[in-house]
Amino acid sequence: MKLNPATHILIALEIAFFAIATPIVTGAIILSIFFVISLTIPSRTEFRLTGKFIKILCVGALFLFLIHGVHWNPPGISYEGLFIGLDSFIRIASPVICVIYLSRRICAEELYAMLIDYRIPPSLILIFFRTLWLVPRLTERMDEVVTAQKLRGMRIETTMQRVRALIPTLNPIFSSMLNEISTNSLTLTTRGFLSPGRKTHYTPLRYRWTDTAIIAVITFILGVLWL
């Protein structure tokens, strides 16, 4: 079912709010169900950020467990600390899971069309899309460097070997990315994207009755869980 991008954003914000506002156990259940649904629904976009965000969540969960859930003198598990760590994890994981959901449901063309329809200034749209572009492009450049190093005979089998191969190339990687951003900005300026006037797009967006119905159903379910 194709929904309006604004509907997806409202769903993500609503679930994040209720996950943080409800009691810890209820919030954890809401967030877990939303996370599973986000991974289960087939992705509609070309973004491949899910694995990286899952790694961030795993590292954050381990860190909070070691900080709050374990007491070292005497060694043992603190159940009160586990609840504190779970509460902190919900607050950290909520925006991350929302980003995972949105990155799998909203195409770049739909996001651009929505921002144009809402009369967002073109300069802010440019900054926003360049920011979204940084992470996947940086990952792509790093993969290119690792592949090139392997073709030259360098052994890159472990994480430390990968880090050692990437450290000397970070400066040229970031320099080339900044040059690419500058070139793209000049191209858009030449084409008149930053000039005054209303902008248009080729992606029609409609807010249908299904968008309203889904928002109403999710709000009702979350309201019942909150009460």
Side-chain angles (χ1 to χ4, degrees):
M1 181 185 299
K2 185 178 179 181
L3 300 176
N4 191 287
T7 303
H8 290 298
I9 295 175
L10 287 174
I11 290 173
L13 292 176
E14 193 171 14
I15 291 179
F17 170 78
F18 277 95
I20 295 174
T22 52
I24 296 176
V25 176
T26 306
I29 294 174
I30 293 174
L31 203 59
S32 300
I33 294 174
F34 182 51
F35 179 62
V36 172
I37 292 175
S38 300
L39 298 181
T40 303
I41 299 177
S43 177
R44 299 179 55 249
T45 70
E46 69 278 5
F47 297 112
R48 298 293 179 265
L49 303 176
T50 303
K52 296 177 178 58
F53 281 116
I54 291 177
K55 291 178 182 178
I56 293 174
L57 291 176
C58 292
V59 172
L62 178 61
F63 179 77
L64 291 173
F65 171 74
L66 294 177
I67 293 296
H68 296 287
V70 178
H71 53 77
W72 304 99
N73 189 20
I77 302 296
S78 172
Y79 294 101
E80 182 180 356
L82 288 177
F83 275 94
I84 296 175
L86 181 60
D87 183 47
S88 301
F89 180 75
I90 291 173
R91 297 177 184 276
I92 295 173
S94 294
V96 176
I97 295 176
C98 287
V99 171
I100 292 175
Y101 171 77
L102 295 176
S103 68
R104 294 172 62 87
R105 301 308 303 162
I106 301 179
C107 301
E109 296 81 6
E110 295 174 345
L111 181 59
Y112 170 78
M114 184 189 72
L115 295 176
I116 290 295
D117 289 344
Y118 287 166
R119 307 291 181 88
I120 303 299
S123 56
L124 295 182
I125 296 177
L126 177 61
I127 294 172
F128 179 68
F129 271 90
R130 288 298 91 189
T131 304
L132 291 180
W133 170 85
L134 283 177
V135 175
R137 186 57 173 160
L138 178 61
T139 304
E140 182 181 341
R141 287 293 179 87
M142 288 183 174
D143 290 338
E144 292 174 356
V145 169
V146 171
T147 302
Q149 300 285 33
K150 287 182 178 179
L151 293 175
R152 292 170 182 169
M154 180 179 291
R155 294 186 57 186
I156 304 178
E157 299 175 355
T158 64
T159 303
M160 287 304 301
Q161 290 176 344
R162 182 182 177 90
V163 171
R164 290 173 183 172
L166 288 173
I167 287 178
T169 61
L170 288 180
N171 187 33
I173 286 176
F174 282 108
S175 298
S176 63
M177 290 180 64
L178 291 176
N179 289 333
E180 191 169 348
I181 291 174
S182 178
T183 303
N184 291 338
S185 300
L186 290 175
T187 302
L188 290 174
T189 303
T190 304
R191 293 178 178 177
F193 181 72
L194 299 179
S195 302
R198 184 176 180 180
K199 310 304 174 184
T200 58
H201 57 81
Y202 290 104
T203 306
L205 298 178
R206 296 180 178 85
Y207 201 85
R208 302 178 177 88
W209 67 270
T210 52
D211 295 278
T212 304
I214 288 177
I215 290 294
V217 170
I218 292 177
T219 303
F220 175 76
I221 294 174
L222 294 176
V224 170
L225 292 176
W226 195 4
L227 297 176

